[in-house]
Amino acid sequence: MSTFLGMPPVGQGHLHGRPFPGEARKALSNDQQRANLRKATGTIRGKRAAVVGELDDWEQLRLAGAAIKDQVLYDLPALLDQFEAAFTAAGGVVHWARDADEAGRIVTGLVQDAGAKHVLKVKSMATQEIELNEVLEAAGITARETDLAELIVQLGHDQPSHILVPAIHRNRAEIREIFKREIPGVDPSLSDRPADLAGAARTYLREQFLDATVAISGANFAIADTGTLCVVESEGNGRMCLTLPKTLISVVGIEKLLPTWQDLEVFLQLLPRSSTGERMNPYTSFWTGVTEGDGPSDVHVVLIDNGRTRVLADEIGRQALRCIRCSACLNVCPVYERVGGHAYGSVYPGPIGAILSPMLTGFGAHADVNTTLPYASTLCGACFEACPVRIDIPEVLVHLRAAAVDAKREKKVPTAEQLAMKALGWVFEKPSRLAAAQKAGWAGSAPLGGKRGRIGALPGPVIGGWTSARDAPVVPKQSFRAWWKKSRRAGPPTTTPSPPPDPELTTGEPS
């Protein structure tokens, strides 16, 4: 079956929500969530810094990881063909999905062919991206998450807010209440001790493992020369899913390829240190097709595009496809730490989500949503310093901001910002217009400034949004131009010169 490289579709699924500014404002008012995020991200940052500091060749590893991934993107068509041939030769079946809809149909059909009414899930960002649980539910199939954090999110009827720790916005007390409410037969006196909570989840999941015939996973890496898939995890629940059921279906983005096994040694050093702050992840599982009498006998992989070739076609933005989903950029981002993942409206939150989501979907149908994501950053550069594969996220953010402005220009109906800029251009064309505008500005703003001479929050979508987080000085009664003319007319000073006017007050620029 042919691939879709060179025929870029638009990404579908859980890749956009509501505009970021409004969602961020709501998140900032949630004090409990901010405290949870501050504590969790601070802990992970500390662990990561300790284990990264142990390696003298960390920067060389980052360079190697970036180089391997860049080579994968350059050779992607050939590597995909190589992987398909090797995986098929090992007894597996390869399916190609142009977008989320096609991937959902393929997986649903495979589950129905297996005669299953419920499936187990290994933690997978790709399946979250294509909203697979919702698609299966519509077909009458129940999908049960087995990763502890994903299980908490699912039982809480919530959405993930972090790539690595989906329930990072929940504390132990909240998790205990979710378990008591949602897990049948749980001890009503369940405490919020981590060991007790993990024990309750283990008892519940054990019944699920023994009863399922179909499991669905993602993959951290796909090795082209042998047709091998790889999943790294911390709990061992994924390994249970990968070995017990009869049918195994893996949903994998086309950028997950590595050319050879030897390339894997670089990433098995980069990934655990960057994600969980560990020297080595506890569980690493590999599978290559079907092995008689050992593990699943019906093995499939669904390779999805869903906008990835759009990203590949962007010379600056394609570096986002190096991402290994470690979430290191989230844990160092000052914006993410304060607003959490839900504000981004996508399964990919934080700095990497701010560039990956809009590139996957484009700015067309989601212009009012994803054009706001490139602005969800201070451009401090901490994300680039933390990224194990050296994705220059600030560079891509600036690139996408330019694209977002271009997208607005294509609108037939001008925005309020465009009208304001056009009016200002007309005013600045002639000094007489600027002088008249300054006089009018002083007359209009002086009553609003009060005794302090500062204008606070104002109503309206444009001026209201700008003044909601900052005060503005009133327009000065006398402009710099008027002061200069008056001073020259009076001649040079003969005694102590008068102090120049406050530049802020003369220009009327905001503080």
Side-chain angles (χ1 to χ4, degrees):
M1 190 177 291
S2 62
T3 70
F4 299 106
L5 292 177
M7 302 169 60
V10 175
Q12 304 170 341
H14 190 182
L15 293 171
H16 56 87
R18 288 183 285 272
F20 180 81
E23 295 305 297
R25 191 173 295 110
K26 285 194 290 186
L28 285 170
S29 65
N30 188 337
D31 294 338
Q32 181 62 62
Q33 177 176 283
R34 291 178 64 181
N36 297 345
L37 289 167
R38 184 168 57 249
K39 181 178 181 180
T41 55
T43 301
I44 299 173
R45 280 199 303 270
K47 291 176 64 179
R48 176 192 174 276
V51 295
V52 166
E54 295 173 349
L55 297 182
D56 295 332
D57 61 345
W58 178 251
E59 192 58 29
Q60 284 71 31
L61 283 170
R62 291 180 74 207
L63 289 167
I68 293 170
K69 278 296 194 177
D70 281 346
Q71 191 63 39
V72 167
L73 298 178
Y74 184 79
D75 293 332
L76 192 54
L79 290 173
L80 286 169
D81 286 341
Q82 186 181 9
F83 175 84
E84 180 181 31
F87 193 82
T88 304
V93 181
V94 176
H95 308 263
W96 299 91
R98 172 189 292 261
D99 51 31
D101 285 347
E102 193 166 10
R105 286 196 299 272
I106 292 170
V107 176
T108 302
L110 292 172
V111 175
Q112 290 172 335
D113 290 345
K117 286 296 182 182
H118 68 274
V119 300
L120 294 181
K121 292 273 307 299
V122 186
K123 183 180 182 303
S124 161
M125 297 302 297
T127 58
Q128 293 281 352
E129 174 188 322
I130 63 173
E131 298 180 316
L132 183 60
N133 287 11
E134 291 80 357
V135 172
L136 292 175
E137 184 179 3
I141 301 167
T142 302
R144 179 63 67 203
E145 300 289 348
T146 60
D147 176 83
L148 178 56
E150 290 282 10
L151 178 65
I152 293 167
V153 169
Q154 187 176 48
L155 292 176
H157 308 287
D158 201 353
Q159 291 289 335
S161 64
H162 191 277
I163 290 176
L164 179 70
V165 193
I168 196 172
H169 56 294
R170 298 286 194 182
N171 59 31
R172 286 184 290 168
E174 292 174 308
I175 295 169
R176 178 189 58 188
E177 294 308 311
I178 291 172
F179 280 9
K180 288 170 64 176
R181 185 177 66 243
E182 299 290 338
I183 294 181
V186 74
D187 184 357
S189 62
L190 178 69
S191 77
D192 64 358
R193 291 178 57 244
D196 292 342
L197 295 173
R202 185 181 300 114
T203 302
Y204 173 67
L205 286 173
R206 190 164 295 165
E207 299 174 1
Q208 312 290 325
F209 288 132
L210 296 176
D211 193 38
T213 57
V214 177
I216 298 174
S217 79
N220 293 94
F221 306 103
I223 302 170
D225 65 348
T226 59
T228 301
L229 294 173
C230 170
V231 162
V232 298
E233 52 161 338
S234 298
E235 301 169 2
N237 293 339
R239 178 164 294 182
M240 298 282 279
C241 297
L242 299 170
T243 53
L244 285 178
K246 177 185 175 186
T247 300
L248 175 60
I249 305 166
S250 302
V251 181
V252 182
I254 57 174
E255 83 283 13
K256 292 287 188 177
L257 288 176
L258 294 180
T260 68
W261 272 83
Q262 188 169 3
D263 298 315
L264 196 62
E265 68 176 351
V266 173
F267 294 94
L268 290 185
Q269 295 179 76
L270 290 172
L271 181 55
R273 284 180 167 81
S274 301
S275 57
T276 55
E278 296 171 299
R279 299 182 184 91
M280 184 177 180
N281 50 285
Y283 296 89
T284 304
S285 300
F286 299 96
W287 67 102
T288 307
V290 176
T291 300
E292 186 69 28
D294 184 12
S297 57
D298 189 21
V299 178
H300 301 261
V301 60
V302 182
L303 295 171
I304 60 170
D305 183 326
N306 204 37
R308 284 162 175 77
T309 47
R310 285 180 53 88
V311 184
L312 187 63
D314 188 323
E315 292 187 2
I316 295 176
R318 70 174 57 160
Q319 57 187 302
L321 294 178
R322 295 181 199 152
C323 180
I324 55 175
R325 311 289 191 261
C326 69
S327 74
C329 62
L330 277 67
N331 300 327
V332 298
C333 178
V335 176
Y336 176 85
E337 183 177 307
R338 284 157 181 79
V339 304
H342 293 160
Y344 294 81
S346 166
V347 69
Y348 301 115
I352 187 63
I355 61 172
L356 190 56
S357 301
M359 284 196 294
L360 287 171
T361 64
F363 291 145
H366 313 296
D368 294 336
V369 178
N370 282 352
T371 50
T372 63
L373 288 178
Y375 297 91
S377 170
T378 63
L379 299 181
C380 67
C383 47
F384 172 63
E385 297 297 327
C387 179
V389 287
R390 294 177 59 85
I391 301 172
D392 193 343
I393 293 177
E395 179 190 29
V396 183
L397 284 168
V398 173
H399 168 63
L400 290 178
R401 289 181 186 188
V405 172
D406 289 341
K408 286 183 179 179
R409 288 196 183 103
E410 294 174 359
K411 284 187 171 181
K412 294 182 179 178
V413 180
T415 64
E417 181 184 7
Q418 288 173 318
L419 292 174
M421 291 297 112
K422 194 169 184 178
L424 282 175
W426 182 83
V427 169
F428 287 135
E429 276 183 349
K430 292 186 177 180
S432 58
R433 293 175 187 169
L434 178 59
Q438 286 172 325
K439 287 183 181 178
W442 176 78
S445 64
L448 299 174
K451 293 181 180 178
R452 293 192 309 128
R454 314 287 296 184
I455 302 173
L458 294 174
V462 178
I463 297 178
W466 199 85
T467 57
S468 64
R470 55 176 75 82
D471 288 345
V474 299
V475 177
K477 185 174 183 180
Q478 183 184 42
S479 69
F480 179 83
R481 184 187 297 271
W483 173 86
W484 180 257
K485 284 184 178 178
K486 184 178 179 182
S487 298
R488 286 178 64 85
R489 193 180 302 123
T494 55
T495 58
T496 304
S498 301
D502 185 338
E504 181 184 47
L505 295 179
T506 55
T507 60
E509 292 180 354
S511 58

